[in-house]
Amino acid sequence: MATSSSCSSLKQHFLVFLIVIIRSIINSPVNGCFTSIFSFGDSLTDTGNLLEISISEPTKTPHSAFLPYGRTFFHHPTGRFCDGRLVIDFLAETLGFSFLPPFYGSKSGKWEKFQKGANFAVASATALNSSFLAEQGIHSVSTNISLGVEVNSFKHLLPSLCSSSSNCKELLRKSLIVMGEIGGNDYNHAFKQGKDIDNIQRLVPLVVDIISSSINELIELGAVTFLVPGNFPIGCSPSLLTKFHGSEKDQYDPLTGCLTWLNQFSQHHNELLRKELENIRNLHPQINIIYVDYYKAAMPFYQSPKKFGFKETLKACCGIGGLYNYDPLIYCGYPPLKQCCNDPSSYISWDGIHYTEVVNKWLAHTVFKELMNTIPRLRSLCPSSTVNKLRILYPMFGV
């Protein structure tokens, strides 16, 4: 009996020890992979830039500044277009960083907080220059910021983070650059404003070219590791499903209810982007470029929703009216739409345009899989503690 008791006690102590070790790995900052993160994009990555811009400039306060935005994790609105965290938040957390601070609205004398990274993504931002889009009859109602403006803002910030060109190159060599998702608004604005599909198709190579030139610009400055997401299955978006409600029955995927031709458009963008990224890899074999296939990652949510715990796939959690619970004239957060569904985690779409936090977490799984598996040499950048942490957090990927 004494022996049995001793064994039981040893097992209990071992379990306690194991739990302490696992917790320390998960909660400890992960240093060594990257010393900073710099991100560019639109509302899918915006951690508060449009809100900051609205405070410093006489523009309308974005609806992300009001509840129920932020209700799930932060319990108050932060300027994120989500009920909680974004993919970039999960990425920063797991790599041991604080949430990336928004760049816009900050004062030039107080840029020390950007030493470990900054977020330049702005909701409603486009890849193409706003004046070019305006010439095509495509307008953004929220901001005139484009990817070029974001990259120029980064170049303006950079000298304050490093004292010389060589120091800046060293800083960027150890940094992770998150380039997007960007370009979705170029298309979404055009679709919602009734532009012809053939004319919108002509934008795709131009959008991809801007993404490519922005990456090359940053390579010239010294950046070596890029995370570049593709476009989502926009044919499953409640906002566009509402816009094209009443389409012919054969235009819908019978399994998911998504509009097939819109999803084919997303795939076309992604295919051109993949090819261009491969061209950059061939020109710069020393550069790490990780393409993240958000389309492929997101489609299983619509095809097998119960597997992920989703009860509503095509309806907005925070919305009102119609088949998809979305009204383009009544934004989530603005009166009278201050309420949302009881359980956002059972919905894919938060507000008809953006994903819920739980979807962003699933997408973050894909990001880490690509980071650690797609390019094996990236493992050499990260200490073993990072790999162990990812194995514990995301065991399904066999990192």
Side-chain angles (χ1 to χ4, degrees):
M1 291 294 291
T3 303
S4 176
S5 177
S6 298
C7 288
S8 177
S9 178
L10 279 172
K11 286 180 180 178
Q12 288 177 350
H13 280 90
F14 177 75
L15 285 172
V16 170
F17 173 75
L18 189 61
I19 290 170
V20 170
I21 292 297
I22 289 173
R23 282 179 175 172
S24 68
I25 291 173
I26 290 176
N27 295 326
S28 63
V30 178
N31 297 313
C33 294
F34 308 102
T35 57
S36 51
I37 303 174
F38 298 101
S39 65
F40 306 85
D42 53 30
S43 56
L44 299 170
T45 312
D46 185 351
T47 55
N49 275 311
L50 186 61
L51 176 58
E52 292 295 333
I53 291 170
S54 75
I55 293 171
S56 59
E57 297 178 7
T59 57
K60 186 177 182 180
T61 303
H63 49 107
S64 62
F66 305 99
L67 286 170
Y69 285 92
R71 57 161 278 181
T72 296
F73 179 79
F74 300 100
H75 308 298
H76 61 85
T78 63
R80 289 168 174 80
F81 285 78
C82 183
D83 61 307
R85 289 163 290 183
L86 308 175
V87 173
I88 190 67
D89 294 319
F90 288 109
L91 179 63
E93 277 185 309
T94 305
L95 292 177
F97 293 89
S98 301
F99 295 133
L100 292 188
F103 172 76
Y104 294 101
S106 60
K107 296 182 179 179
S108 58
K110 299 180 180 179
W111 285 351
E112 299 84 3
K113 64 180 179 180
F114 299 127
Q115 281 291 340
K116 291 186 178 295
N119 189 352
F120 297 88
V122 180
S124 200
T126 54
L128 297 169
N129 185 285
S130 60
S131 59
F132 171 81
L133 288 172
E135 291 172 3
Q136 317 305 310
I138 302 168
H139 304 277
S140 171
V141 296
S142 301
T143 182
N144 60 359
I145 287 179
S146 63
L147 180 56
V149 173
E150 293 180 11
V151 171
N152 284 336
S153 296
F154 170 73
K155 291 164 72 175
H156 184 56
L157 167 69
L158 189 59
S160 69
L161 304 181
C162 38
S163 57
S164 66
S165 175
S166 59
N167 285 342
C168 289
K169 285 185 179 293
E170 181 64 13
L171 169 70
L172 288 176
R173 187 182 69 81
K174 296 179 179 179
S175 299
L176 174 64
I177 307 297
V178 182
M179 185 59 69
E181 187 271 342
I182 189 71
N185 284 324
D186 300 64
Y187 312 137
N188 290 339
H189 295 334
F191 280 123
K192 292 176 183 178
Q193 291 166 28
K195 303 306 173 187
D196 181 80
I197 180 63
D198 292 333
N199 289 329
I200 302 174
Q201 288 271 15
R202 295 189 189 102
L203 295 177
V204 178
L206 302 178
V207 166
V208 170
D209 185 61
I210 289 292
I211 296 171
S212 174
S213 62
S214 297
I215 292 171
N216 281 313
E217 246 185 291
L218 296 177
I219 289 174
E220 290 297 315
L221 293 174
V224 299
T225 305
F226 295 83
L227 193 67
V228 188
N231 203 350
F232 294 95
I234 62 174
C236 304
S237 168
S239 64
L240 288 175
L241 284 166
T242 299
K243 168 68 179 177
F244 296 104
H245 179 55
S247 297
E248 294 296 327
K249 186 177 180 180
D250 62 1
Q251 295 185 1
Y252 294 91
D253 181 336
L255 174 62
T256 64
C258 303
L259 277 167
T260 305
W261 66 274
L262 279 171
N263 280 349
Q264 289 172 342
F265 181 91
S266 295
Q267 291 174 299
H268 174 59
H269 165 92
N270 291 344
E271 183 60 28
L272 291 190
L273 178 60
R274 277 197 296 265
K275 288 180 180 178
E276 183 57 28
L277 294 180
E278 190 58 38
N279 290 337
I280 298 175
R281 290 189 191 102
N282 292 335
L283 287 172
H284 304 280
Q286 77 283 9
I287 300 300
N288 301 311
I289 298 182
I290 305 104
Y291 171 74
V292 182
D293 195 339
Y294 275 170
Y295 184 97
K296 183 178 178 181
M299 278 309 297
F301 305 151
Y302 301 98
Q303 295 163 338
S304 306
K306 290 182 180 179
K307 179 180 177 181
F308 302 94
F310 296 124
K311 296 178 181 178
E312 292 289 354
T313 58
L314 303 180
K315 287 185 177 181
C317 169
C318 185
I320 187 169
L323 183 62
Y324 304 105
N325 204 37
Y326 177 82
D327 186 329
L329 301 178
I330 305 176
Y331 288 104
C332 175
Y334 287 154
L337 193 48
K338 306 291 286 184
Q339 303 298 319
C340 64
C341 64
N342 291 328
D343 181 14
S345 69
S346 66
Y347 281 67
I348 293 176
S349 178
W350 165 242
D351 58 7
I353 300 172
H354 309 95
Y355 288 132
T356 53
E357 181 188 76
V358 68
V359 173
N360 288 329
K361 186 173 183 179
W362 278 111
L363 293 172
H365 294 176
T366 300
V367 171
F368 294 124
K369 179 183 177 182
E370 297 299 334
L371 265 174
M372 304 307 293
N373 289 348
T374 302
I375 302 180
R377 64 174 178 251
L378 279 182
R379 290 173 178 267
S380 65
L381 292 173
C382 305
S384 58
S385 60
T386 304
V387 179
N388 290 337
K389 182 175 181 179
L390 292 172
R391 281 174 178 156
I392 291 169
L393 290 171
Y394 307 111
M396 70 286 289
F397 288 127
V399 175

